[in-house]
Coordinates of all heavy atoms in Angstrom, one line a residue:
M1 N 0.8 -1.2 0.0 CA 0.0 0.0 0.0 C 0.9 1.2 0.0 O 1.8 1.4 0.8 CB -0.9 0.0 1.2 CG -1.9 1.1 1.2 SD -3.1 0.6 2.4 CE -3.7 2.0 3.1
K2 N 0.6 2.1 -0.9 CA 1.4 3.3 -1.0 C 0.7 4.5 -0.5 O -0.5 4.8 -0.8 CB 1.7 3.5 -2.5 CG 2.8 4.6 -2.8 CD 3.1 4.6 -4.3 CE 4.2 5.7 -4.5 NZ 4.5 5.7 -5.9
F3 N 1.3 5.3 0.4 CA 0.7 6.5 0.9 C 1.1 7.7 0.1 O 2.3 8.0 -0.1 CB 1.2 6.7 2.4 CG 0.6 7.9 3.0 CD1 -0.7 8.0 3.3 CD2 1.4 9.0 3.4 CE1 -1.3 9.1 4.0 CE2 0.8 10.1 4.0 CZ -0.5 10.1 4.3
N4 N 0.1 8.4 -0.5 CA 0.4 9.5 -1.4 C -0.5 10.7 -0.9 O -1.6 10.9 -1.5 CB 0.1 9.1 -2.8 CG 0.6 10.2 -3.8 OD1 1.3 11.1 -3.4 ND2 0.2 10.1 -5.0
P5 N -0.1 11.5 0.1 CA -1.0 12.5 0.5 C -1.2 13.6 -0.5 O -0.3 13.9 -1.3 CB -0.2 13.1 1.8 CG 1.2 12.7 1.5 CD 1.2 11.5 0.7
A6 N -2.3 14.2 -0.4 CA -2.6 15.4 -1.3 C -1.8 16.6 -0.9 O -1.5 16.7 0.3 CB -4.1 15.7 -1.3
P7 N -1.3 17.4 -1.8 CA -0.6 18.5 -1.5 C -1.4 19.5 -0.6 O -2.6 19.6 -0.7 CB -0.2 19.2 -2.8 CG -0.9 18.5 -3.9 CD -1.6 17.3 -3.3
M8 N -0.7 20.1 0.4 CA -1.4 20.9 1.4 C -1.6 22.3 0.8 O -0.6 22.9 0.3 CB -0.6 20.9 2.7 CG -1.3 21.6 3.8 SD -0.3 21.7 5.3 CE -0.3 20.0 5.8
S9 N -2.8 22.9 0.9 CA -3.0 24.2 0.5 C -2.3 25.2 1.4 O -2.0 24.9 2.5 CB -4.5 24.5 0.4 OG -5.0 24.7 1.8
R10 N -2.0 26.4 0.9 CA -1.4 27.4 1.7 C -2.2 27.8 2.9 O -1.7 27.9 4.0 CB -1.2 28.7 0.8 CG -0.2 29.7 1.4 CD 0.1 30.8 0.5 NE 0.7 30.3 -0.8 CZ 0.9 31.1 -1.8 NH1 0.5 32.3 -1.9 NH2 1.4 30.6 -2.9
R11 N -3.5 27.8 2.7 CA -4.4 28.2 3.8 C -4.4 27.1 4.9 O -4.3 27.3 6.1 CB -5.8 28.3 3.3 CG -6.9 28.6 4.4 CD -8.2 28.8 3.9 NE -8.3 30.0 3.2 CZ -9.3 30.9 3.2 NH1 -10.4 30.5 3.8 NH2 -9.3 32.0 2.6
R12 N -4.4 25.8 4.4 CA -4.3 24.7 5.4 C -2.9 24.7 6.1 O -2.9 24.4 7.3 CB -4.5 23.4 4.6 CG -4.3 22.1 5.4 CD -5.6 21.8 6.2 NE -5.4 20.5 6.9 CZ -5.5 20.4 8.2 NH1 -5.9 21.4 8.9 NH2 -5.3 19.3 8.8
A13 N -1.9 24.9 5.4 CA -0.5 25.0 6.0 C -0.5 26.1 7.0 O 0.1 25.9 8.1 CB 0.6 25.2 4.9
L14 N -1.0 27.2 6.7 CA -1.1 28.3 7.7 C -1.8 28.0 8.9 O -1.4 28.2 10.1 CB -1.6 29.6 7.0 CG -1.6 30.8 7.9 CD1 -0.2 31.2 8.3 CD2 -2.3 32.0 7.2
G15 N -3.0 27.3 8.7 CA -3.8 26.8 9.9 C -3.0 25.8 10.8 O -3.1 25.9 12.0
V16 N -2.3 24.9 10.1 CA -1.5 24.0 10.9 C -0.4 24.7 11.7 O -0.2 24.4 12.9 CB -0.9 22.9 10.0 CG1 0.2 22.1 10.7 CG2 -1.9 22.0 9.4
A17 N 0.3 25.7 11.0 CA 1.3 26.4 11.7 C 0.8 27.2 12.9 O 1.4 27.2 14.0 CB 2.0 27.4 10.7
V18 N -0.4 27.8 12.7 CA -1.0 28.6 13.8 C -1.3 27.6 15.0 O -1.0 27.9 16.2 CB -2.3 29.3 13.4 CG1 -3.1 29.8 14.6 CG2 -1.9 30.5 12.4
N19 N -1.8 26.4 14.7 CA -2.1 25.5 15.8 C -0.9 25.0 16.5 O -0.9 24.8 17.7 CB -2.9 24.3 15.2 CG -4.4 24.7 14.9 OD1 -4.9 25.5 15.6 ND2 -4.9 24.0 13.9
V20 N 0.2 24.8 15.7 CA 1.4 24.3 16.4 C 2.0 25.4 17.3 O 2.3 25.1 18.4 CB 2.5 24.0 15.3 CG1 3.9 23.8 15.9 CG2 2.1 22.7 14.5
V21 N 2.0 26.6 16.8 CA 2.5 27.7 17.7 C 1.6 27.9 18.9 O 2.1 28.1 20.0 CB 2.5 29.1 16.9 CG1 2.8 30.2 17.8 CG2 3.6 29.0 15.8
A22 N 0.3 27.7 18.8 CA -0.6 27.9 19.9 C -0.4 26.7 20.9 O -0.6 26.9 22.1 CB -2.1 27.8 19.4
A23 N 0.0 25.6 20.4 CA 0.2 24.4 21.3 C 1.6 24.5 22.1 O 1.8 23.7 23.0 CB 0.1 23.1 20.5
L24 N 2.5 25.3 21.6 CA 3.8 25.3 22.2 C 3.8 25.5 23.7 O 4.6 24.7 24.4 CB 4.7 26.4 21.6 CG 5.2 26.0 20.2 CD1 6.0 27.1 19.6 CD2 6.0 24.7 20.2
P25 N 3.1 26.4 24.3 CA 3.1 26.5 25.8 C 2.6 25.2 26.5 O 3.2 24.9 27.5 CB 2.1 27.7 26.1 CG 2.1 28.5 24.8 CD 2.3 27.5 23.7
V26 N 1.7 24.6 25.9 CA 1.2 23.3 26.5 C 2.2 22.2 26.4 O 2.5 21.5 27.3 CB -0.1 22.9 25.8 CG1 -0.6 21.5 26.3 CG2 -1.2 23.9 25.9
I27 N 2.9 22.2 25.2 CA 4.0 21.2 25.0 C 5.1 21.4 26.0 O 5.6 20.5 26.7 CB 4.5 21.2 23.6 CG1 3.4 20.7 22.6 CG2 5.8 20.4 23.5 CD1 3.7 21.0 21.2
A28 N 5.4 22.7 26.2 CA 6.5 23.1 27.1 C 6.1 22.7 28.6 O 7.0 22.2 29.3 CB 6.8 24.6 27.1
L29 N 4.9 22.9 28.9 CA 4.4 22.6 30.3 C 4.5 21.1 30.5 O 5.1 20.6 31.5 CB 2.9 23.0 30.4 CG 2.3 22.6 31.8 CD1 3.0 23.4 32.9 CD2 0.8 22.9 31.8
F30 N 4.1 20.2 29.5 CA 4.2 18.8 29.7 C 5.6 18.3 29.7 O 6.0 17.4 30.4 CB 3.4 18.1 28.7 CG 1.9 18.1 29.0 CD1 1.0 18.8 28.2 CD2 1.4 17.4 30.0 CE1 -0.3 18.8 28.5 CE2 0.0 17.4 30.3 CZ -0.8 18.1 29.5
S31 N 6.5 19.0 28.9 CA 7.9 18.6 28.9 C 8.5 18.9 30.2 O 9.3 18.1 30.7 CB 8.6 19.4 27.8 OG 8.1 19.1 26.5
R32 N 8.1 20.0 30.8 CA 8.7 20.3 32.1 C 8.2 19.3 33.2 O 9.0 18.9 34.0 CB 8.3 21.7 32.5 CG 8.9 22.3 33.7 CD 8.5 23.7 33.9 NE 9.0 24.2 35.2 CZ 10.2 24.8 35.3 NH1 11.0 25.0 34.3 NH2 10.6 25.2 36.5
E33 N 7.0 18.9 33.1 CA 6.5 17.9 34.1 C 7.2 16.6 33.9 O 7.6 16.0 34.9 CB 5.0 17.8 33.9 CG 4.3 19.0 34.5 CD 2.8 18.9 34.5 OE1 2.3 17.8 34.0 OE2 2.1 19.8 34.8
A34 N 7.4 16.2 32.7 CA 8.1 14.9 32.5 C 9.6 15.0 33.0 O 10.1 14.1 33.6 CB 8.1 14.6 31.0
Y35 N 10.2 16.2 32.8 CA 11.5 16.5 33.3 C 11.5 16.4 34.8 O 12.4 15.8 35.4 CB 11.8 17.9 32.7 CG 13.1 18.5 33.1 CD1 14.2 18.3 32.3 CD2 13.3 19.3 34.2 CE1 15.4 18.9 32.6 CE2 14.4 19.8 34.6 CZ 15.5 19.6 33.7 OH 16.7 20.2 34.1
A36 N 10.5 17.0 35.4 CA 10.5 17.0 36.9 C 10.3 15.5 37.4 O 10.8 15.2 38.4 CB 9.3 17.8 37.4
A37 N 9.6 14.7 36.7 CA 9.4 13.3 37.1 C 10.8 12.6 37.1 O 11.1 11.8 38.0 CB 8.5 12.6 36.1
N38 N 11.6 12.9 36.1 CA 12.9 12.3 36.1 C 13.7 12.7 37.3 O 14.4 12.0 37.9 CB 13.7 12.7 34.8 CG 13.2 11.9 33.6 OD1 12.5 10.8 33.8 ND2 13.4 12.4 32.4
N39 N 13.6 14.0 37.6 CA 14.3 14.6 38.7 C 13.8 13.9 40.0 O 14.6 13.6 40.9 CB 14.1 16.1 38.8 CG 14.7 16.8 37.7 OD1 15.5 16.3 37.0 ND2 14.3 18.1 37.5
A40 N 12.6 13.7 40.1 CA 12.0 13.1 41.3 C 12.6 11.7 41.5 O 12.9 11.3 42.6 CB 10.5 13.0 41.2
A41 N 12.8 10.9 40.4 CA 13.3 9.6 40.5 C 14.7 9.6 41.0 O 15.1 8.9 41.9 CB 13.2 8.9 39.2
L42 N 15.5 10.5 40.5 CA 16.9 10.7 40.9 C 17.0 11.1 42.3 O 17.8 10.6 43.1 CB 17.7 11.6 40.0 CG 18.6 11.0 39.0 CD1 19.2 12.1 38.1 CD2 19.7 10.2 39.7
R43 N 16.2 12.1 42.6 CA 16.1 12.6 44.0 C 15.8 11.5 45.0 O 16.4 11.4 46.1 CB 15.1 13.8 44.2 CG 15.6 15.0 43.5 CD 14.5 16.1 43.6 NE 14.9 17.3 43.0 CZ 14.5 18.5 43.5 NH1 13.7 18.6 44.5 NH2 15.0 19.6 43.0
K44 N 14.8 10.7 44.6 CA 14.4 9.6 45.5 C 15.5 8.6 45.7 O 15.8 8.2 46.8 CB 13.2 9.0 44.9 CG 12.6 7.9 45.8 CD 11.3 7.4 45.3 CE 10.7 6.3 46.3 NZ 9.5 5.8 45.8
A45 N 16.2 8.3 44.5 CA 17.3 7.3 44.6 C 18.4 7.8 45.5 O 19.1 7.0 46.2 CB 17.8 7.0 43.2
L46 N 18.6 9.1 45.5 CA 19.7 9.7 46.3 C 19.2 10.2 47.7 O 20.0 10.8 48.4 CB 20.4 10.8 45.6 CG 21.1 10.4 44.3 CD1 21.7 11.7 43.6 CD2 22.1 9.4 44.5
Q47 N 17.9 9.9 48.0 CA 17.3 10.3 49.2 C 17.4 11.8 49.5 O 17.6 12.3 50.6 CB 18.0 9.5 50.4 CG 17.9 8.1 50.3 CD 18.8 7.3 51.2 OE1 19.1 7.8 52.3 NE2 19.1 6.1 50.9
Y48 N 17.3 12.6 48.4 CA 17.4 14.1 48.5 C 16.3 14.6 49.4 O 15.2 14.1 49.4 CB 17.3 14.7 47.1 CG 17.2 16.2 47.2 CD1 18.4 17.0 47.3 CD2 16.0 16.9 47.1 CE1 18.3 18.3 47.4 CE2 16.0 18.3 47.2 CZ 17.1 19.0 47.4 OH 17.1 20.4 47.4
Q49 N 16.6 15.6 50.2 CA 15.6 16.3 51.0 C 16.0 17.8 51.0 O 17.1 18.2 50.7 CB 15.7 15.8 52.5 CG 17.0 16.0 53.2 CD 17.1 15.2 54.5 OE1 16.7 14.1 54.6 NE2 17.7 15.9 55.5
D50 N 15.0 18.6 51.2 CA 15.1 20.1 51.1 C 15.7 20.7 52.4 O 15.8 21.9 52.5 CB 13.8 20.8 50.7 CG 13.6 20.8 49.2 OD1 14.5 20.8 48.5 OD2 12.4 20.8 48.9
T51 N 16.0 19.9 53.3 CA 16.6 20.3 54.6 C 17.9 19.7 54.8 O 18.2 18.6 54.3 CB 15.6 19.9 55.8 OG1 15.4 18.5 55.7 CG2 14.3 20.7 55.6
P52 N 18.8 20.4 55.6 CA 20.1 19.9 55.9 C 20.1 18.6 56.8 O 19.1 18.4 57.4 CB 20.8 21.0 56.6 CG 19.8 22.0 57.0 CD 18.5 21.7 56.2
K53 N 21.2 17.9 56.8 CA 21.3 16.8 57.7 C 22.5 17.2 58.6 O 23.6 17.0 58.3 CB 21.6 15.5 57.0 CG 21.5 14.3 57.9 CD 21.3 13.0 57.0 CE 21.0 11.9 57.9 NZ 20.6 10.7 57.2
G54 N 22.2 17.7 59.8 CA 23.2 18.2 60.7 C 23.9 19.4 60.0 O 23.2 20.3 59.5
D55 N 25.2 19.4 60.0 CA 25.9 20.5 59.3 C 26.0 20.3 57.8 O 26.5 21.1 57.1 CB 27.3 20.6 59.9 CG 27.3 21.1 61.3 OD1 26.3 21.8 61.7 OD2 28.2 20.9 62.1
A56 N 25.7 19.1 57.3 CA 25.8 18.8 55.9 C 24.6 19.4 55.1 O 23.5 19.1 55.4 CB 25.8 17.2 55.7
K57 N 24.9 20.2 54.2 CA 23.9 20.8 53.3 C 24.5 21.1 51.9 O 25.8 21.2 51.8 CB 23.3 22.0 53.9 CG 24.3 23.2 54.1 CD 23.5 24.3 54.8 CE 24.4 25.5 55.0 NZ 23.7 26.6 55.6
C58 N 23.7 21.2 50.9 CA 24.1 21.3 49.5 C 25.1 22.5 49.4 O 26.1 22.4 48.6 CB 22.9 21.5 48.6 SG 21.9 20.0 48.5
A59 N 24.9 23.6 50.1 CA 25.7 24.8 49.9 C 27.2 24.4 50.3 O 28.1 25.1 49.8 CB 25.2 25.9 50.8
N60 N 27.4 23.4 51.1 CA 28.7 23.0 51.5 C 29.2 21.8 50.8 O 30.2 21.2 51.3 CB 28.7 22.7 53.1 CG 28.3 24.0 53.8 OD1 28.5 25.1 53.4 ND2 27.7 23.8 55.0
C61 N 28.6 21.4 49.7 CA 28.9 20.1 49.0 C 29.7 20.5 47.7 O 29.3 21.5 47.0 CB 27.6 19.4 48.7 SG 27.8 17.9 47.7
V62 N 30.6 19.7 47.4 CA 31.4 19.9 46.2 C 30.6 19.8 44.9 O 30.9 20.3 43.8 CB 32.6 19.0 46.1 CG1 33.6 19.3 47.1 CG2 32.2 17.5 46.1
Q63 N 29.4 19.1 45.0 CA 28.6 18.8 43.8 C 27.6 20.0 43.5 O 27.0 20.1 42.5 CB 27.7 17.6 44.0 CG 28.5 16.3 44.4 CD 29.3 15.8 43.2 OE1 29.2 16.3 42.0 NE2 30.0 14.7 43.4
F64 N 27.5 20.9 44.5 CA 26.5 22.0 44.4 C 27.0 23.1 43.4 O 28.1 23.6 43.5 CB 26.2 22.6 45.7 CG 25.0 23.6 45.7 CD1 23.8 23.2 45.3 CD2 25.2 24.9 46.1 CE1 22.7 24.0 45.3 CE2 24.2 25.8 46.1 CZ 22.9 25.4 45.7
V65 N 26.1 23.5 42.5 CA 26.3 24.7 41.6 C 25.3 25.7 42.1 O 24.1 25.6 41.8 CB 26.1 24.3 40.2 CG1 26.4 25.5 39.3 CG2 27.0 23.1 39.8
P66 N 25.8 26.8 42.7 CA 24.8 27.8 43.3 C 24.0 28.5 42.3 O 24.5 28.7 41.1 CB 25.7 28.7 44.1 CG 27.1 28.3 43.9 CD 27.2 27.1 43.0
G67 N 22.9 29.0 42.7 CA 22.1 29.9 41.9 C 22.7 31.3 41.9 O 23.8 31.5 42.3
A68 N 21.9 32.3 41.4 CA 22.4 33.7 41.2 C 22.8 34.3 42.6 O 23.8 34.9 42.7 CB 21.3 34.5 40.6
A69 N 22.0 34.0 43.6 CA 22.3 34.5 45.0 C 22.5 33.3 45.9 O 22.0 32.2 45.5 CB 21.1 35.3 45.5
A70 N 23.1 33.5 47.0 CA 23.4 32.4 47.9 C 22.2 31.7 48.4 O 22.2 30.5 48.7 CB 24.2 32.9 49.1
T71 N 21.0 32.4 48.5 CA 19.8 31.7 49.0 C 19.0 31.1 47.8 O 18.0 30.4 48.1 CB 19.0 32.7 49.7 OG1 18.7 33.8 48.9 CG2 19.7 33.1 51.0
D72 N 19.4 31.4 46.6 CA 18.6 30.9 45.4 C 18.9 29.4 45.2 O 19.9 28.8 45.6 CB 19.0 31.6 44.1 CG 18.5 33.0 44.1 OD1 17.7 33.4 44.9 OD2 19.0 33.7 43.2
K73 N 17.9 28.7 44.6 CA 18.1 27.3 44.3 C 19.1 27.2 43.2 O 19.3 28.1 42.4 CB 16.8 26.7 43.9 CG 15.8 26.5 45.1 CD 14.6 25.8 44.7 CE 13.7 25.7 46.0 NZ 12.5 25.0 45.8
G74 N 19.8 26.1 43.2 CA 20.9 25.9 42.2 C 20.8 24.5 41.6 O 19.7 23.9 41.5
K75 N 21.9 24.0 41.1 CA 22.0 22.7 40.5 C 22.9 21.8 41.2 O 23.7 22.3 42.1 CB 22.5 22.9 39.0 CG 21.6 23.8 38.2 CD 22.2 23.9 36.8 CE 21.3 24.8 36.0 NZ 21.8 25.0 34.6
C76 N 22.9 20.5 40.9 CA 23.8 19.6 41.5 C 24.4 18.7 40.4 O 23.7 18.2 39.5 CB 23.0 18.7 42.4 SG 23.9 17.3 43.1
K77 N 25.7 18.5 40.5 CA 26.4 17.7 39.4 C 26.0 16.2 39.5 O 26.1 15.5 38.6 CB 27.9 17.8 39.6 CG 28.4 19.2 39.3 CD 29.8 19.3 39.7 CE 30.2 20.8 39.8 NZ 31.6 20.9 40.4
A78 N 25.5 15.8 40.7 CA 25.1 14.4 40.9 C 23.6 14.2 40.4 O 23.2 13.0 40.3 CB 25.2 14.0 42.4
I79 N 22.9 15.3 40.3 CA 21.5 15.2 39.8 C 21.3 16.0 38.5 O 20.9 17.2 38.6 CB 20.5 15.6 40.9 CG1 20.7 14.8 42.2 CG2 19.0 15.4 40.4 CD1 19.8 15.2 43.3
P80 N 21.8 15.5 37.4 CA 21.8 16.3 36.2 C 20.3 16.8 35.8 O 19.4 16.1 36.1 CB 22.4 15.4 35.1 CG 22.5 14.1 35.7 CD 22.2 14.2 37.2
N81 N 20.3 17.9 35.1 CA 19.0 18.4 34.6 C 18.0 18.8 35.7 O 16.8 18.6 35.6 CB 18.4 17.4 33.6 CG 19.3 17.1 32.5 OD1 19.9 18.0 31.9 ND2 19.3 15.8 32.1
D82 N 18.6 19.3 36.8 CA 17.7 19.7 37.9 C 18.3 21.0 38.4 O 19.4 21.1 38.8 CB 17.8 18.6 39.0 CG 16.8 18.9 40.1 OD1 16.6 20.0 40.5 OD2 16.3 17.9 40.7
D83 N 17.4 22.0 38.3 CA 17.9 23.4 38.8 C 17.0 23.9 39.9 O 16.9 25.0 40.2 CB 17.8 24.4 37.6 CG 16.5 24.5 37.0 OD1 15.5 23.8 37.4 OD2 16.3 25.3 36.0
E84 N 16.5 22.9 40.7 CA 15.7 23.2 41.9 C 16.3 22.7 43.2 O 15.6 22.3 44.1 CB 14.3 22.7 41.7 CG 13.5 23.4 40.6 CD 13.1 24.8 40.9 OE1 12.7 25.0 42.1 OE2 13.1 25.6 40.1
I85 N 17.6 22.6 43.2 CA 18.3 22.1 44.4 C 18.5 23.2 45.4 O 19.1 24.2 45.1 CB 19.7 21.5 44.0 CG1 19.5 20.4 42.9 CG2 20.4 21.0 45.2 CD1 18.8 19.2 43.4
S86 N 18.0 23.0 46.6 CA 18.0 24.0 47.7 C 19.5 24.0 48.2 O 20.1 23.0 48.5 CB 17.1 23.6 48.8 OG 17.3 24.4 49.9
P87 N 20.0 25.2 48.5 CA 21.3 25.3 49.2 C 21.2 24.7 50.5 O 22.3 24.3 51.1 CB 21.6 26.8 49.2 CG 20.3 27.5 48.9 CD 19.4 26.5 48.2
N88 N 20.0 24.5 51.1 CA 19.9 23.9 52.4 C 19.5 22.5 52.3 O 19.1 21.9 53.3 CB 18.8 24.7 53.2 CG 19.3 26.1 53.6 OD1 20.5 26.2 54.0 ND2 18.5 27.1 53.4
G89 N 19.5 21.9 51.1 CA 19.2 20.5 50.9 C 20.3 19.5 51.3 O 21.4 20.0 51.8
W90 N 20.0 18.3 51.1 CA 21.0 17.3 51.4 C 20.6 16.0 50.7 O 19.5 15.8 50.4 CB 21.0 16.9 52.9 CG 21.9 15.8 53.3 CD1 23.2 15.8 53.7 CD2 21.5 14.4 53.4 NE1 23.7 14.5 53.9 CE2 22.6 13.7 53.7 CE3 20.3 13.7 53.1 CZ2 22.6 12.3 53.9 CZ3 20.3 12.3 53.2 CH2 21.4 11.6 53.6
C91 N 21.6 15.2 50.4 CA 21.3 13.8 49.8 C 22.4 12.8 50.2 O 23.4 13.2 50.8 CB 21.2 13.9 48.3 SG 22.7 13.7 47.4
A92 N 22.2 11.6 49.9 CA 23.1 10.5 50.4 C 24.5 10.6 49.9 O 25.4 9.9 50.4 CB 22.4 9.2 50.1
V93 N 24.7 11.3 48.8 CA 26.1 11.4 48.2 C 26.8 12.7 48.5 O 27.7 13.1 47.8 CB 26.1 11.0 46.7 CG1 25.7 9.6 46.5 CG2 25.2 12.0 45.9
F94 N 26.3 13.3 49.6 CA 26.9 14.6 50.1 C 28.4 14.4 50.2 O 28.9 13.4 50.8 CB 26.3 15.0 51.4 CG 27.1 16.2 52.1 CD1 26.8 17.5 51.7 CD2 28.1 15.9 53.0 CE1 27.5 18.5 52.3 CE2 28.8 17.0 53.6 CZ 28.5 18.3 53.2
A95 N 29.2 15.4 49.7 CA 30.6 15.3 49.8 C 31.1 16.7 50.2 O 31.0 17.7 49.4 CB 31.3 14.9 48.5
A96 N 31.6 16.9 51.4 CA 31.9 18.2 51.9 C 33.0 18.9 51.1 O 34.0 18.2 50.6 CB 32.4 18.1 53.4
K97 N 32.8 20.2 50.9 CA 33.9 21.0 50.2 C 35.1 21.0 51.1 O 35.0 21.0 52.4 CB 33.4 22.4 50.1 CG 32.4 22.6 49.0 CD 32.0 24.1 48.9 CE 30.9 24.4 47.9 NZ 30.4 25.8 48.0
P98 N 36.3 21.0 50.5 CA 37.5 21.1 51.4 C 37.6 22.4 52.1 O 37.2 23.4 51.5 CB 38.6 20.9 50.4 CG 38.1 20.9 49.0 CD 36.6 20.9 49.1
K99 N 38.1 22.4 53.3 CA 38.1 23.7 54.0 C 39.4 24.4 53.8 O 40.4 23.9 53.5 CB 37.9 23.4 55.5 CG 36.4 22.9 55.7 CD 36.1 22.8 57.2 CE 34.7 22.3 57.3 NZ 34.3 22.1 58.7
Ligands
SF4_1 FE1 23.1 18.4 47.6 FE2 23.5 15.8 47.3 FE3 23.9 17.4 45.2 FE4 25.6 17.5 47.3 S1 25.3 15.7 45.9 S2 24.7 19.2 46.2 S3 24.2 17.1 49.0 S4 22.0 17.0 46.3

């Protein structure tokens, strides 16, 4: 069986383009949620929590990549594609910065 679609009219192509552009915010929202699910799995595997464990916290960990300000959320080299790591967080692979 051979698929031979009819050529798309200019008006139809414009309509498809408008619909695609209109759907972009929805696509971005779902992409972000899927991304967050991945983060959640990694966080769970590493037992991440948003609170410190004693003196151990992300801000004092070699894996932490700080945000714009010291109190802003940052990133973690051990949890790729995650930019919601709290400077006051902690996880099982905490490694203290050298003093
Ligand atoms: Fe925080 Fe763990 Fe990442 Fe260190 S490795 S910055 S403790 S999440």
Side-chain angles (χ1 to χ4, degrees):
M1 186 162 148
K2 190 173 179 181
F3 181 67
N4 189 12
M8 189 182 291
S9 71
R10 195 174 298 170
R11 176 177 291 218
R12 175 83 177 123
L14 183 61
V16 169
V18 166
N19 285 330
V20 168
V21 170
L24 284 177
V26 175
I27 292 168
L29 178 66
F30 283 111
S31 298
R32 188 174 173 92
E33 285 182 3
Y35 179 90
N38 286 340
N39 293 346
L42 255 176
R43 286 175 177 215
K44 186 174 181 181
L46 297 179
Q47 301 167 24
Y48 174 82
Q49 61 190 40
D50 276 331
T51 54
K53 189 163 193 170
D55 292 337
K57 61 181 181 180
C58 296
N60 299 333
C61 176
V62 293
Q63 304 288 358
F64 187 61
V65 179
T71 55
D72 288 348
K73 290 184 176 177
K75 298 179 181 179
C76 171
K77 296 173 196 167
I79 306 176
N81 303 319
D82 189 324
D83 57 1
E84 293 288 320
I85 301 296
S86 169
N88 292 315
W90 173 90
C91 86
V93 293
F94 170 83
K97 286 180 183 172
K99 293 186 178 181

